[in-house]
Structures are given as structure tokens and as C-alpha cells.
Amino acid sequence: MLRQLLERYSLTVAGIMSGTSLDGIDVAIVRIDGCGDRAKVELIHFESFAYEAELREKLKQLCSTDHSDVAQLCGMNFAIAERFADAVVRTAAAAQLPMSKIDLISSHGQTVWHIPVADAANAYLPKSTLQIGDLSVIAKRTGRPVVGDFRTADMAVGGQGAPLAPYGDYILFRDSAKGRILQNIGGIGNCTAIPATGTTPTLADADRLIAFDTGPGNMVLDQAVYELSQGQLTYDADGVWAAQGQVHIVLLEDMLAHPYFSQLPPKTTGRELFGKSYASAWLSAAKAQGLPAADIVATATAFTAHSIVRAYQDFVFPHFDIAEVIVSGGGAHNRTLLRMLAELLPQQAIRTSDELGISSDAKEAILFALLGNDWIHGVPNNLPSATGAERPTIMGKLALP
């Protein structure tokens, strides 16, 4: 099976993405011609499968040291893998594509904990990361080979295991004449700044990229909406609620004083810093000041926008001339958030990846399909300039059906 894949120029790959927002599973089935920086991608079909409320809350508990336990973690590793496998099968059926026509599945997994910097006081807390969703379960249920668990390989060569999206961002969105920032806004926000490449770009140019996690994307906002609505809403659709409120400037500045924002890239973060515990504590403080719900949602939205823009001002604009910011992820649907970004960045055009032919919802699943494709071809698929790794390496592990 592997020998046949190695000998083929074109592969059909199902990329699976489940992000820190914990909202569901994205599956993108793509046809990839070639590999590395010359890869060409065609999206065949995309589906998204929302997590039900009970599962989402159980995942939040796993991502919290206050509520997690080893039995739940062990069980969820298999339970979520079953969901991943079912999502691929259902996506293939929706595309009217037999499973036998899918050459490879590439899974990001579900991150439950991420330690990008070793704890100097505890030898048993080295730089490390944990994504669940067992690869063998996916392979056996679907009958297809599965590549996954990418982040650990980058950490093994000194990186932070994230962000991984910049590799695909460079392949899909580099431009000869314009500097671009690719801004994904999922649970966490992450950016890839790509200077204009000129007329003869090569993967070596990717060493010039600046990429890092900007901070919370939808994570704090979604938790605030969930609690303010007594569990009736999981996000602020189109930013409608935020549009009805006023931003509380003092509270916003207090949030932006978090030490993460002053750290130099490469840097990554997740629920360990900005998860449910952080969001609930912040929400309690906002309520204590007597803020109406709409003002709280508006301030949480502004927190995302301002943290993104300050990251650009501190770490990107001093080095690159940027003409466009291209937004993807769930945040691309939040009109209030996009408006705030446009107001804060009058010199840059704010666009969504949909305008460039790549679905903002499907983009990250497509990027992980690219990572799996390059694993098959033996091509290093991390970017040391983004993760801080000592060298390029081939990320991923294989499970056979």
C-alpha cells in the first residue's frame, strides 16, 4: 500500500481538523499534485460536524487541570477517534466518493494540553504536547492509512510544536508582489506573515516568515457567550451581540496587559492560558463592574481584535511591508470582529481566504492534508522559522488499516 502511494504524483487526501475552539470536526477531501512548495491543491469536498453540547463540555473539562482525570482522557482518546473516522466516512459519502478512492487520511487530532516551554522547576514537565484521537482507531474504522500526531516531531527537534499552519500558508498564499498576513481565528489566533516573494519563490524563502500565536481567537469570546446565554448559545453569530454593545476600554487594557502578549516569537498558547478558567474569571470581573451583557461581548471581541493588531505592530510591521490581512477560521464569519480589524488596520486590506478561492472554514483541514501528503513523500513539513525548531524535520506518524 505504501509503495503504491510513494510512486504516485497525485493523491487524494482527507484532512481532519479539530481545533482549540472545540466546536467540531472539519474534514476536507483534496486532490494534491506533487509535494513541498510545488504542491497544487484542489478541494473536492468539505464538511463540518459540530460537537454536541455534552461532548464539548467534556472536552473542556479534559483541557482543565481542575476537572480532568486519566480515565476520561484514556476513553476520550478512542471516543474522539471514532468521531473522526465517522466524519471522514460521511464526508466521502457526501462527495459520492468510495473510501477506496481516498489514498490517505491526515489528522491533526484534538489538542488537550500544550506545554511550549519547559518548566524549569519540574523535570517531569518538559516541552511537550498532547493531541488525542488514536490513529489506529481511525485507520481500522476507515480502512485507509492515517498520518497524524505531527506536533511531537517538531518538539523533538527543539520547536514548540506550533504553529504548523504557516507551512501550508506559504504554499497556498504567497504572492510575488504583495506582503500578506494569514490570520486564522479559531479558538486561538495564529498568524503567518509572508513578505512578497518575487518572481521565483522557493521553499527556502519560507525561512523569512514570521509566524506565531497572537493569543485568544474565539476562545474567551465563545465562553463568555455560552455563560451569558446560560448555555443557549455557543458563539456570537455574525458578531450581532457584540455590535449592540460598547467596548469597556479599562477592562480591555487590563486584558491586554497579560504577559503572553509581550513575549517574543516564536510563541504558542492554548487553553492552558486562555481556556475556561481564564474566561470565567474574566467574566466574573466584568459582571462585578456592572457591565451589561452586550458590553461584555463587545469587549471580548475587541480583545481578540486588539491583541491581533498589537502583535502585528510589535512583531511584524517593523520587518515586513504588509498589504493584505487574509482571515480564516470561525472568526472570518464575525462581521463585528472584521470591522474592528479594518478600523485598527486602515493601511491594510482585510479579506477572507474565501475571496482567494480557499474556504475559510476548510483552510486548516486542507493545510493538514498537505502535511500528511509531504510525510508520504518524505519531505520535511515543519518551518523552523515559525516553531523555533533546530532544523527542518518530517512530522507525523503512520497507522495502517
Side-chain angles (χ1 to χ4, degrees):
M1 178 180 289
L2 284 179
R3 187 179 301 277
Q4 293 175 346
L5 294 181
L6 290 170
E7 293 174 349
R8 291 177 53 188
Y9 176 76
S10 179
L11 295 177
T12 299
V13 184
I16 309 173
M17 180 64 197
S18 180
T20 51
S21 59
L22 304 178
D23 51 3
I25 303 165
D26 296 332
V27 179
I29 299 178
V30 297
R31 182 170 292 108
I32 304 177
D33 295 333
C35 59
D37 65 319
R38 301 302 177 187
K40 302 298 181 184
V41 179
E42 176 191 357
L43 178 63
I44 297 173
H45 195 76
F46 171 74
E47 292 283 342
S48 187
F49 304 90
Y51 289 143
E52 65 270 24
E54 181 182 13
L55 176 57
R56 185 181 299 109
E57 290 308 303
K58 286 186 178 297
L59 286 170
K60 286 182 183 179
Q61 290 175 1
L62 283 185
C63 299
S64 167
T65 55
D66 296 331
H67 301 99
S68 184
D69 67 70
V70 292
Q72 289 291 328
L73 183 61
C74 182
M76 190 63 81
N77 183 40
F78 273 53
I80 206 72
E82 296 279 4
R83 298 296 186 96
F84 289 165
D86 180 66
V88 173
V89 171
R90 292 169 64 185
T91 302
Q96 299 183 325
L97 191 69
M99 285 300 299
S100 60
K101 296 297 184 182
I102 293 179
D103 299 307
L104 179 70
I105 296 171
S106 181
S107 176
H108 168 268
Q110 179 64 65
T111 299
V112 293
W113 203 250
H114 188 68
I115 305 176
V117 179
D119 186 339
N122 189 338
Y124 298 103
L125 288 176
K127 185 184 298 187
S128 51
T129 190
L130 180 62
Q131 285 74 43
I132 61 173
D134 187 80
L135 303 181
S136 291
V137 172
I138 303 171
K140 303 305 180 185
R141 295 293 179 268
T142 61
R144 310 312 299 157
V146 181
V147 174
D149 200 17
F150 295 99
R151 298 187 186 277
T152 52
D154 182 79
M155 282 192 158
V157 293
Q160 293 198 0
L164 300 188
Y167 180 80
D169 284 339
Y170 177 78
I171 292 171
L172 296 177
F173 294 101
R174 65 182 186 252
D175 188 89
S176 62
K178 291 183 290 189
R180 286 173 165 171
I181 294 177
L182 281 299
Q183 179 69 51
N184 182 67
I185 307 178
I188 289 294
N190 57 274
C191 72
T192 304
I194 308 173
T197 62
T199 56
T200 56
T202 68
L203 196 54
D205 294 328
D207 289 335
R208 300 172 56 210
L209 299 187
I210 298 173
F212 56 94
D213 286 353
T214 54
N218 303 316
M219 188 176 289
V220 175
L221 172 60
D222 287 353
Q223 186 65 31
V225 168
Y226 180 80
E227 295 189 28
L228 289 169
S229 68
Q230 289 78 51
Q232 297 302 303
L233 300 174
T234 58
Y235 67 100
D236 182 17
D238 294 329
V240 171
W241 203 351
Q244 300 170 13
Q246 298 293 320
V247 176
H248 192 283
I249 300 300
V250 174
L251 189 58
L252 173 62
E253 290 297 333
D254 182 63
M255 297 168 79
L256 291 169
H258 191 287
Y260 177 78
F261 301 117
S262 61
Q263 293 177 22
L264 296 175
K267 59 178 181 176
T268 54
T269 189
R271 287 191 173 271
E272 62 279 356
L273 278 189
F274 296 108
K276 184 177 180 180
S277 297
Y278 173 90
S280 296
W282 171 77
L283 184 57
S284 295
K287 288 179 176 178
Q289 295 194 35
L291 295 186
D295 287 5
I296 294 174
V297 177
T299 304
T301 305
F303 179 37
T304 298
H306 282 260
S307 62
I308 288 171
V309 172
R310 289 195 181 186
Y312 298 169
Q313 292 169 339
D314 291 344
F315 307 121
V316 177
F317 292 162
H319 306 285
F320 296 157
D321 181 18
I322 299 296
E324 296 179 335
V325 175
I326 301 168
V327 182
S328 61
H333 301 291
N334 187 319
R335 296 177 184 175
T336 301
L337 177 55
L338 293 181
R339 175 180 56 76
M340 288 179 175
L341 287 173
E343 290 172 352
L344 292 168
L345 295 169
Q347 302 302 313
Q348 286 76 34
I350 307 300
R351 308 176 67 182
T352 66
S353 63
D354 301 81
E355 296 175 49
L356 280 76
I358 301 290
S359 164
S360 58
D361 295 321
K363 195 194 86 167
E364 287 215 307
I366 293 172
L367 297 184
F368 276 90
L370 279 168
L371 294 182
N373 178 71
D374 278 359
W375 184 94
I376 284 291
H377 290 286
V379 176
N381 50 6
N382 71 327
L383 281 183
S385 59
T387 67
E390 298 162 3
R391 58 182 172 85
T393 193
I394 301 171
M395 301 184 298
K397 299 172 185 174
L398 174 70
L400 293 174

